[in-house]
Amino acid sequence: MEISSDRPDLAKVDVSGVRRAVNIGLLEGEALAPGDWILIHVGFALSKIDEVEARSALEFLESIGQAYDDEIAALRESVIEQG
């Protein structure tokens, strides 16, 4: 959604409707812009992926049912954005 101007290693992202700050430092040198799809694990962007791959991964996660729903609920309850 947005790359921080004062912290270029941080980006605000939308994860299934939940906004979070994510460290994009591992993707240094990668051309990133709002609207790009990235694979995130424990708060770190691991790789830039295309929309087809992103939708496929999301469909798989949604197919596991309750475990996915519980994870999204926990994400919503956590601290979302820094002031």
Side-chain angles (χ1 to χ4, degrees):
M1 295 179 50
E2 176 183 323
I3 297 173
S4 177
S5 58
D6 60 331
R7 293 274 320 266
D9 61 330
L10 292 181
K12 187 185 302 181
V13 301
D14 181 302
V15 179
S16 298
V18 180
R19 293 180 179 182
R20 296 214 51 98
V22 171
N23 187 305
I24 58 172
L26 295 173
L27 301 182
E28 186 176 356
E30 183 81 48
L32 297 175
D36 285 342
W37 294 88
I38 55 174
L39 181 62
I40 303 168
H41 181 64
V42 295
F44 289 88
L46 300 179
S47 64
K48 182 176 171 180
I49 57 178
D50 64 31
E51 186 174 355
V52 172
E53 186 177 0
R55 295 214 182 274
S56 177
L58 186 56
E59 286 173 11
F60 168 75
L61 291 171
E62 290 171 344
S63 78
I64 62 176
Q66 191 61 47
Y68 175 76
D69 295 339
D70 291 347
E71 189 64 27
I72 293 299
L75 187 62
R76 283 193 175 99
E77 292 173 7
S78 67
V79 176
I80 304 300
E81 294 181 30
Q82 298 177 5

Coordinates of all heavy atoms in Angstrom, one line a residue:
M1 N 0.8 -1.2 0.0 CA 0.0 0.0 0.0 C 0.9 1.3 0.0 O 0.6 2.2 -0.7 CB -0.9 0.0 1.2 CG -1.9 -1.1 1.2 SD -3.0 -1.0 2.7 CE -3.5 0.6 2.8
E2 N 1.9 1.2 0.8 CA 2.7 2.4 0.9 C 4.1 2.1 1.5 O 4.3 1.3 2.4 CB 2.0 3.4 1.9 CG 2.8 4.6 2.3 CD 2.0 5.4 3.4 OE1 0.7 5.4 3.3 OE2 2.6 6.0 4.2
I3 N 5.2 2.7 0.9 CA 6.5 2.5 1.3 C 6.9 3.7 2.1 O 6.7 4.8 1.7 CB 7.5 2.3 0.2 CG1 7.1 1.0 -0.6 CG2 9.0 2.2 0.7 CD1 7.9 0.7 -1.8
S4 N 7.4 3.5 3.4 CA 7.7 4.6 4.3 C 8.9 5.5 3.7 O 9.9 4.9 3.3 CB 8.2 4.0 5.6 OG 8.6 5.1 6.5
S5 N 8.7 6.8 3.7 CA 9.7 7.7 3.1 C 10.8 7.8 4.1 O 12.0 8.0 3.7 CB 9.1 9.0 2.7 OG 8.5 9.6 3.9
D6 N 10.6 7.8 5.4 CA 11.6 8.0 6.4 C 12.3 6.6 6.8 O 13.3 6.6 7.4 CB 11.1 8.8 7.6 CG 10.0 8.1 8.3 OD1 9.2 7.3 7.7 OD2 9.9 8.3 9.6
R7 N 11.6 5.5 6.5 CA 12.2 4.2 6.8 C 12.0 3.3 5.5 O 11.0 2.6 5.4 CB 11.5 3.5 8.0 CG 11.6 4.1 9.3 CD 12.9 3.7 10.1 NE 13.2 2.3 10.0 CZ 12.8 1.3 10.8 NH1 12.1 1.6 11.9 NH2 13.2 0.1 10.7
P8 N 12.8 3.4 4.5 CA 12.6 2.7 3.3 C 12.7 1.2 3.4 O 12.4 0.5 2.4 CB 13.8 3.2 2.4 CG 14.8 3.8 3.3 CD 14.1 4.2 4.5
D9 N 13.0 0.7 4.6 CA 12.9 -0.8 4.8 C 11.6 -1.2 5.3 O 11.4 -2.4 5.5 CB 14.0 -1.2 5.8 CG 13.9 -0.6 7.1 OD1 13.4 0.6 7.2 OD2 14.3 -1.2 8.1
L10 N 10.6 -0.3 5.5 CA 9.3 -0.6 6.0 C 8.2 -0.2 4.9 O 8.3 0.8 4.3 CB 9.0 0.1 7.3 CG 9.7 -0.3 8.5 CD1 9.3 0.5 9.7 CD2 9.6 -1.8 8.8
A11 N 7.2 -1.1 4.8 CA 6.1 -0.8 4.0 C 4.8 -1.1 4.7 O 4.8 -2.1 5.5 CB 6.1 -1.6 2.7
K12 N 3.8 -0.4 4.5 CA 2.4 -0.7 5.0 C 1.8 -1.6 4.0 O 1.7 -1.2 2.8 CB 1.6 0.6 5.2 CG 0.3 0.3 5.9 CD -0.5 1.6 6.1 CE 0.2 2.7 6.8 NZ -0.6 3.9 6.9
V13 N 1.3 -2.7 4.4 CA 0.7 -3.7 3.5 C -0.7 -4.1 4.0 O -1.1 -3.8 5.2 CB 1.6 -5.0 3.4 CG1 2.9 -4.7 2.9 CG2 1.6 -5.7 4.7
D14 N -1.5 -4.6 3.1 CA -2.8 -5.1 3.4 C -2.7 -6.7 3.3 O -2.4 -7.2 2.3 CB -3.8 -4.6 2.5 CG -5.2 -5.0 2.7 OD1 -5.5 -6.2 2.8 OD2 -6.1 -4.2 2.9
V15 N -3.0 -7.3 4.5 CA -3.0 -8.8 4.5 C -4.5 -9.2 4.8 O -4.9 -9.1 5.9 CB -2.1 -9.3 5.6 CG1 -2.1 -10.9 5.7 CG2 -0.7 -8.8 5.4
S16 N -5.2 -9.6 3.8 CA -6.6 -10.0 3.9 C -7.4 -9.0 4.7 O -8.2 -9.3 5.6 CB -6.7 -11.4 4.6 OG -6.0 -12.4 3.8
G17 N -7.2 -7.7 4.4 CA -8.0 -6.7 5.0 C -7.4 -6.1 6.3 O -7.9 -5.2 6.9
V18 N -6.3 -6.7 6.7 CA -5.6 -6.2 7.9 C -4.3 -5.4 7.5 O -3.5 -5.9 6.7 CB -5.2 -7.3 8.8 CG1 -4.4 -6.8 10.1 CG2 -6.4 -8.2 9.2
R19 N -4.2 -4.2 7.9 CA -3.0 -3.4 7.6 C -1.9 -3.6 8.6 O -2.1 -3.6 9.8 CB -3.4 -1.9 7.5 CG -4.3 -1.6 6.4 CD -4.7 -0.2 6.3 NE -5.6 0.0 5.2 CZ -6.1 1.2 4.9 NH1 -5.7 2.3 5.5 NH2 -6.9 1.3 3.8
R20 N -0.7 -3.8 8.1 CA 0.5 -4.1 8.9 C 1.7 -3.4 8.3 O 1.8 -3.2 7.1 CB 0.8 -5.6 9.0 CG -0.3 -6.3 9.6 CD 0.1 -7.5 10.4 NE 1.1 -7.4 11.4 CZ 0.9 -7.3 12.7 NH1 -0.3 -7.1 13.1 NH2 1.8 -7.3 13.5
A21 N 2.7 -3.1 9.2 CA 4.0 -2.7 8.8 C 4.8 -3.9 8.6 O 4.8 -4.8 9.4 CB 4.6 -1.8 9.8
V22 N 5.5 -4.0 7.4 CA 6.3 -5.2 7.1 C 7.7 -4.7 6.7 O 7.8 -3.7 6.0 CB 5.7 -6.0 5.9 CG1 6.6 -7.0 5.4 CG2 4.3 -6.5 6.3
N23 N 8.7 -5.4 7.1 CA 10.1 -5.1 6.7 C 10.3 -5.6 5.3 O 10.2 -6.8 5.1 CB 11.1 -5.8 7.7 CG 12.5 -5.3 7.5 OD1 13.0 -5.5 6.4 ND2 13.1 -4.8 8.5
I24 N 10.7 -4.7 4.4 CA 11.0 -5.1 3.0 C 12.5 -5.1 2.7 O 12.9 -5.1 1.6 CB 10.2 -4.2 2.0 CG1 10.6 -2.7 2.2 CG2 8.7 -4.5 2.2 CD1 10.0 -1.8 1.2
G25 N 13.3 -5.0 3.8 CA 14.8 -4.9 3.6 C 15.4 -6.1 2.9 O 16.4 -5.9 2.2
L26 N 14.8 -7.2 3.0 CA 15.3 -8.4 2.3 C 15.2 -8.3 0.8 O 15.8 -9.0 0.0 CB 14.7 -9.7 2.8 CG 15.0 -10.1 4.2 CD1 14.1 -11.3 4.6 CD2 16.4 -10.4 4.4
L27 N 14.3 -7.4 0.3 CA 14.0 -7.2 -1.1 C 14.8 -6.0 -1.7 O 14.4 -5.4 -2.7 CB 12.5 -7.1 -1.4 CG 11.7 -8.2 -0.9 CD1 10.2 -8.0 -1.3 CD2 12.2 -9.5 -1.5
E28 N 15.8 -5.5 -1.0 CA 16.6 -4.4 -1.4 C 17.1 -4.6 -2.8 O 17.5 -5.7 -3.2 CB 17.8 -4.2 -0.5 CG 18.6 -3.0 -0.8 CD 19.8 -2.8 0.2 OE1 19.9 -3.5 1.1 OE2 20.5 -1.8 0.0
G29 N 16.9 -3.6 -3.6 CA 17.3 -3.7 -5.1 C 16.1 -4.1 -5.9 O 16.2 -4.0 -7.2
E30 N 15.1 -4.7 -5.4 CA 13.9 -5.1 -6.1 C 13.0 -3.9 -6.3 O 12.8 -3.1 -5.4 CB 13.1 -6.1 -5.3 CG 11.9 -6.7 -6.0 CD 12.2 -7.8 -7.0 OE1 12.9 -8.7 -6.6 OE2 11.7 -7.7 -8.1
A31 N 12.5 -3.7 -7.5 CA 11.6 -2.5 -7.8 C 10.3 -2.8 -7.1 O 9.5 -3.7 -7.6 CB 11.5 -2.3 -9.3
L32 N 9.9 -2.1 -6.1 CA 8.7 -2.3 -5.4 C 7.8 -1.1 -5.4 O 8.4 0.1 -5.3 CB 8.9 -2.7 -3.9 CG 9.6 -4.0 -3.6 CD1 9.9 -4.1 -2.1 CD2 8.8 -5.2 -4.1
A33 N 6.5 -1.2 -5.6 CA 5.6 -0.1 -5.6 C 4.3 -0.5 -5.0 O 3.9 -1.7 -5.0 CB 5.4 0.4 -7.1
P34 N 3.5 0.5 -4.5 CA 2.2 0.1 -4.0 C 1.4 -0.7 -5.1 O 1.5 -0.3 -6.3 CB 1.5 1.5 -3.8 CG 2.7 2.4 -3.4 CD 3.8 1.9 -4.4
G35 N 0.7 -1.7 -4.7 CA 0.0 -2.5 -5.6 C 0.7 -3.8 -5.9 O 0.1 -4.8 -6.5
D36 N 2.0 -3.9 -5.6 CA 2.8 -5.1 -5.9 C 2.3 -6.2 -4.9 O 1.9 -5.9 -3.8 CB 4.3 -4.9 -5.7 CG 4.9 -4.2 -6.9 OD1 4.3 -4.1 -7.9 OD2 6.0 -3.6 -6.7
W37 N 2.5 -7.4 -5.3 CA 2.2 -8.6 -4.4 C 3.5 -9.1 -3.8 O 4.5 -9.2 -4.6 CB 1.5 -9.7 -5.2 CG 0.2 -9.3 -5.7 CD1 -0.1 -8.7 -6.9 CD2 -1.1 -9.5 -5.0 NE1 -1.5 -8.6 -7.0 CE2 -2.1 -9.0 -5.9 CE3 -1.4 -10.1 -3.8 CZ2 -3.4 -9.1 -5.5 CZ3 -2.8 -10.2 -3.5 CH2 -3.7 -9.7 -4.3
I38 N 3.6 -9.3 -2.5 CA 4.8 -9.9 -1.9 C 4.4 -11.0 -1.0 O 3.3 -11.1 -0.4 CB 5.6 -8.8 -1.1 CG1 4.7 -8.1 -0.1 CG2 6.2 -7.8 -2.1 CD1 5.4 -7.1 0.8
L39 N 5.3 -12.0 -0.9 CA 5.2 -13.1 0.0 C 5.8 -12.7 1.3 O 6.9 -12.3 1.4 CB 5.9 -14.3 -0.6 CG 5.8 -15.6 0.3 CD1 4.4 -16.1 0.4 CD2 6.7 -16.7 -0.4
I40 N 5.0 -12.8 2.4 CA 5.4 -12.3 3.7 C 5.4 -13.5 4.7 O 4.5 -14.3 4.7 CB 4.4 -11.2 4.3 CG1 4.2 -10.1 3.3 CG2 4.7 -10.8 5.7 CD1 3.1 -9.2 3.6
H41 N 6.4 -13.5 5.5 CA 6.5 -14.5 6.6 C 7.0 -13.8 7.9 O 8.0 -13.1 7.8 CB 7.3 -15.7 6.2 CG 7.4 -16.7 7.3 ND1 6.3 -17.4 7.7 CD2 8.5 -17.1 8.0 CE1 6.7 -18.3 8.6 NE2 8.0 -18.1 8.9
V42 N 6.3 -13.9 9.0 CA 6.6 -13.3 10.3 C 7.1 -11.9 10.2 O 8.1 -11.5 10.8 CB 7.6 -14.2 11.1 CG1 6.9 -15.5 11.5 CG2 8.9 -14.4 10.4
G43 N 6.4 -11.1 9.4 CA 6.7 -9.6 9.3 C 7.8 -9.2 8.3 O 8.2 -8.1 8.3
F44 N 8.3 -10.2 7.5 CA 9.3 -9.9 6.6 C 8.8 -10.2 5.2 O 8.3 -11.3 4.9 CB 10.6 -10.7 6.8 CG 11.3 -10.2 8.1 CD1 11.0 -10.7 9.3 CD2 12.3 -9.2 8.0 CE1 11.7 -10.3 10.4 CE2 13.0 -8.8 9.1 CZ 12.7 -9.3 10.3
A45 N 9.1 -9.3 4.2 CA 8.8 -9.6 2.8 C 9.9 -10.5 2.3 O 11.1 -10.2 2.3 CB 8.7 -8.3 2.0
L46 N 9.5 -11.7 1.8 CA 10.5 -12.7 1.3 C 10.8 -12.6 -0.2 O 11.9 -12.8 -0.6 CB 10.1 -14.1 1.7 CG 9.9 -14.4 3.2 CD1 9.5 -15.8 3.4 CD2 11.2 -14.1 3.9
S47 N 9.7 -12.3 -0.9 CA 9.9 -12.2 -2.4 C 8.7 -11.5 -3.0 O 7.6 -11.5 -2.4 CB 10.0 -13.6 -3.0 OG 8.8 -14.4 -2.9
K48 N 8.9 -10.9 -4.1 CA 7.9 -10.3 -4.9 C 7.3 -11.4 -5.8 O 8.0 -12.2 -6.4 CB 8.5 -9.1 -5.8 CG 7.5 -8.4 -6.6 CD 8.2 -7.2 -7.3 CE 7.3 -6.6 -8.3 NZ 7.9 -5.4 -9.0
I49 N 6.0 -11.5 -5.9 CA 5.3 -12.5 -6.7 C 4.3 -11.8 -7.6 O 3.9 -10.7 -7.3 CB 4.7 -13.6 -5.8 CG1 3.7 -13.0 -4.8 CG2 5.8 -14.4 -5.0 CD1 2.9 -14.0 -3.9
D50 N 3.9 -12.6 -8.6 CA 2.8 -12.0 -9.4 C 1.4 -12.3 -8.9 O 1.3 -13.1 -7.9 CB 3.0 -12.5 -10.9 CG 2.8 -14.0 -11.1 OD1 2.0 -14.6 -10.3 OD2 3.4 -14.6 -12.0
E51 N 0.5 -11.6 -9.4 CA -0.9 -11.7 -8.9 C -1.4 -13.2 -9.0 O -2.1 -13.6 -8.1 CB -1.8 -10.8 -9.6 CG -3.2 -10.7 -9.0 CD -4.1 -9.7 -9.6 OE1 -3.6 -8.9 -10.5 OE2 -5.3 -9.6 -9.2
V52 N -1.1 -13.9 -10.1 CA -1.6 -15.3 -10.2 C -1.1 -16.1 -9.1 O -1.8 -16.9 -8.4 CB -1.2 -15.8 -11.6 CG1 -1.5 -17.3 -11.7 CG2 -1.9 -15.1 -12.7
E53 N 0.2 -16.0 -8.8 CA 0.8 -16.8 -7.7 C 0.2 -16.4 -6.3 O 0.0 -17.2 -5.5 CB 2.4 -16.6 -7.7 CG 3.1 -17.4 -6.7 CD 4.6 -17.3 -6.7 OE1 5.1 -16.5 -7.5 OE2 5.3 -18.0 -5.9
A54 N 0.0 -15.1 -6.2 CA -0.6 -14.6 -4.9 C -2.0 -15.1 -4.7 O -2.3 -15.6 -3.6 CB -0.6 -13.1 -4.9
R55 N -2.8 -15.1 -5.7 CA -4.2 -15.6 -5.6 C -4.2 -17.1 -5.4 O -5.0 -17.6 -4.6 CB -4.9 -15.2 -6.9 CG -5.1 -13.7 -7.0 CD -6.5 -13.4 -7.6 NE -6.6 -11.9 -7.7 CZ -7.0 -11.1 -6.8 NH1 -7.3 -11.6 -5.6 NH2 -7.0 -9.8 -7.0
S56 N -3.3 -17.8 -6.0 CA -3.2 -19.3 -5.8 C -2.8 -19.6 -4.3 O -3.4 -20.4 -3.7 CB -2.1 -19.9 -6.7 OG -2.0 -21.2 -6.5
A57 N -1.8 -18.8 -3.8 CA -1.4 -19.0 -2.4 C -2.6 -18.7 -1.5 O -2.8 -19.4 -0.5 CB -0.2 -18.2 -2.1
L58 N -3.3 -17.6 -1.7 CA -4.4 -17.2 -0.9 C -5.5 -18.2 -0.9 O -6.1 -18.6 0.1 CB -4.9 -15.8 -1.3 CG -5.9 -15.2 -0.4 CD1 -5.5 -15.1 1.0 CD2 -6.3 -13.8 -0.9
E59 N -5.8 -18.7 -2.1 CA -6.8 -19.8 -2.2 C -6.5 -21.0 -1.4 O -7.3 -21.6 -0.8 CB -7.1 -20.1 -3.7 CG -7.8 -19.1 -4.5 CD -7.9 -19.4 -6.0 OE1 -7.5 -20.5 -6.4 OE2 -8.3 -18.5 -6.7
F60 N -5.2 -21.4 -1.5 CA -4.8 -22.6 -0.7 C -5.0 -22.3 0.8 O -5.5 -23.1 1.5 CB -3.3 -22.9 -1.0 CG -2.8 -23.9 0.0 CD1 -3.1 -25.2 0.0 CD2 -1.9 -23.5 1.1 CE1 -2.7 -26.1 0.9 CE2 -1.5 -24.4 2.0 CZ -1.8 -25.7 1.9
L61 N -4.5 -21.1 1.3 CA -4.6 -20.8 2.7 C -6.1 -20.8 3.1 O -6.4 -21.3 4.2 CB -4.0 -19.5 3.0 CG -2.4 -19.5 2.9 CD1 -1.9 -18.0 3.0 CD2 -1.8 -20.3 4.0
E62 N -6.9 -20.2 2.3 CA -8.4 -20.2 2.6 C -9.0 -21.6 2.6 O -9.9 -21.8 3.4 CB -9.1 -19.3 1.7 CG -8.8 -17.8 1.9 CD -9.3 -16.9 0.8 OE1 -9.7 -17.4 -0.3 OE2 -9.3 -15.7 1.0
S63 N -8.4 -22.5 1.8 CA -9.0 -23.8 1.8 C -8.7 -24.7 3.0 O -9.4 -25.7 3.3 CB -8.4 -24.6 0.5 OG -7.1 -25.0 0.8
I64 N -7.7 -24.2 3.8 CA -7.4 -25.0 5.1 C -8.4 -24.7 6.2 O -8.4 -25.3 7.2 CB -6.0 -24.8 5.5 CG1 -5.7 -23.4 5.9 CG2 -5.0 -25.4 4.5 CD1 -4.3 -23.2 6.5
G65 N -9.3 -23.7 5.9 CA -10.5 -23.5 6.8 C -10.2 -22.8 8.1 O -9.6 -21.7 8.1
Q66 N -10.5 -23.5 9.2 CA -10.5 -22.8 10.5 C -9.1 -22.3 10.9 O -9.0 -21.3 11.5 CB -11.0 -23.8 11.6 CG -11.3 -23.2 12.9 CD -12.3 -22.0 12.8 OE1 -13.4 -22.2 12.2 NE2 -12.0 -20.9 13.4
A67 N -8.1 -23.1 10.6 CA -6.7 -22.6 10.9 C -6.4 -21.3 10.3 O -5.8 -20.4 10.9 CB -5.7 -23.7 10.5
Y68 N -6.8 -21.1 9.0 CA -6.6 -19.8 8.4 C -7.5 -18.7 9.0 O -7.0 -17.6 9.3 CB -7.0 -19.9 6.9 CG -6.9 -18.6 6.1 CD1 -5.7 -18.0 5.8 CD2 -8.1 -17.9 5.8 CE1 -5.6 -16.8 5.1 CE2 -8.0 -16.7 5.2 CZ -6.8 -16.1 4.8 OH -6.7 -14.9 4.2
D69 N -8.7 -19.0 9.3 CA -9.6 -18.1 10.0 C -9.0 -17.6 11.3 O -9.1 -16.5 11.7 CB -11.0 -18.7 10.1 CG -11.7 -18.9 8.8 OD1 -11.3 -18.3 7.8 OD2 -12.6 -19.7 8.8
D70 N -8.5 -18.6 12.1 CA -7.9 -18.3 13.4 C -6.7 -17.4 13.3 O -6.5 -16.5 14.1 CB -7.5 -19.6 14.1 CG -8.7 -20.4 14.5 OD1 -9.9 -19.9 14.5 OD2 -8.5 -21.6 14.9
E71 N -5.9 -17.6 12.3 CA -4.7 -16.8 12.0 C -5.0 -15.4 11.7 O -4.4 -14.5 12.2 CB -3.8 -17.5 10.9 CG -2.5 -16.9 10.8 CD -1.6 -17.0 12.0 OE1 -1.7 -18.0 12.8 OE2 -0.7 -16.2 12.2
I72 N -6.0 -15.2 10.8 CA -6.5 -13.9 10.4 C -7.1 -13.2 11.6 O -6.8 -12.0 11.9 CB -7.4 -13.9 9.2 CG1 -6.7 -14.4 8.0 CG2 -8.1 -12.6 9.0 CD1 -5.6 -13.5 7.5
A73 N -7.8 -13.9 12.5 CA -8.4 -13.3 13.7 C -7.3 -12.8 14.6 O -7.4 -11.7 15.2 CB -9.3 -14.3 14.4
A74 N -6.3 -13.7 14.8 CA -5.1 -13.3 15.7 C -4.4 -12.1 15.1 O -4.0 -11.2 15.8 CB -4.2 -14.5 15.8
L75 N -4.3 -12.0 13.8 CA -3.6 -10.9 13.1 C -4.4 -9.6 13.4 O -3.8 -8.6 13.7 CB -3.5 -11.2 11.6 CG -2.7 -10.2 10.8 CD1 -1.3 -10.1 11.2 CD2 -2.8 -10.6 9.3
R76 N -5.7 -9.7 13.3 CA -6.6 -8.5 13.5 C -6.5 -8.0 15.0 O -6.6 -6.8 15.2 CB -8.0 -8.8 13.2 CG -8.3 -8.9 11.7 CD -9.8 -8.9 11.4 NE -10.0 -8.8 10.0 CZ -10.2 -9.8 9.2 NH1 -10.4 -11.0 9.7 NH2 -10.4 -9.7 7.9
E77 N -6.2 -8.9 15.9 CA -6.2 -8.5 17.3 C -4.8 -8.0 17.7 O -4.7 -7.4 18.7 CB -6.5 -9.7 18.2 CG -8.0 -10.1 18.1 CD -8.3 -11.4 18.8 OE1 -7.4 -12.0 19.5 OE2 -9.4 -11.9 18.7
S78 N -3.8 -8.2 16.9 CA -2.4 -7.8 17.2 C -2.3 -6.3 16.9 O -3.1 -5.7 16.3 CB -1.4 -8.6 16.4 OG -1.5 -8.3 15.1
V79 N -1.2 -5.7 17.3 CA -0.9 -4.3 17.0 C -0.8 -4.2 15.5 O 0.1 -4.8 14.9 CB 0.4 -3.8 17.8 CG1 0.7 -2.4 17.3 CG2 0.2 -3.9 19.3
I80 N -1.6 -3.3 14.9 CA -1.6 -3.2 13.5 C -0.6 -2.2 12.9 O 0.1 -2.5 12.0 CB -3.0 -2.9 13.0 CG1 -4.0 -3.9 13.5 CG2 -3.1 -2.8 11.5 CD1 -3.8 -5.3 13.1
E81 N -0.7 -1.0 13.3 CA 0.2 0.0 12.8 C 0.9 0.8 13.8 O 0.3 1.0 14.9 CB -0.7 1.0 11.9 CG -1.3 0.3 10.7 CD -2.1 1.4 9.9 OE1 -1.7 2.5 9.9 OE2 -3.0 0.9 9.2
Q82 N 2.0 1.3 13.5 CA 2.7 2.2 14.5 C 2.2 3.6 14.2 O 1.9 4.0 13.1 CB 4.2 2.2 14.2 CG 4.9 0.8 14.4 CD 6.3 0.8 14.1 OE1 6.9 1.8 13.7 NE2 6.9 -0.4 14.1
G83 N 2.1 4.4 15.4 CA 1.6 5.7 15.3 C 2.4 6.6 14.4 O 2.1 7.4 13.7

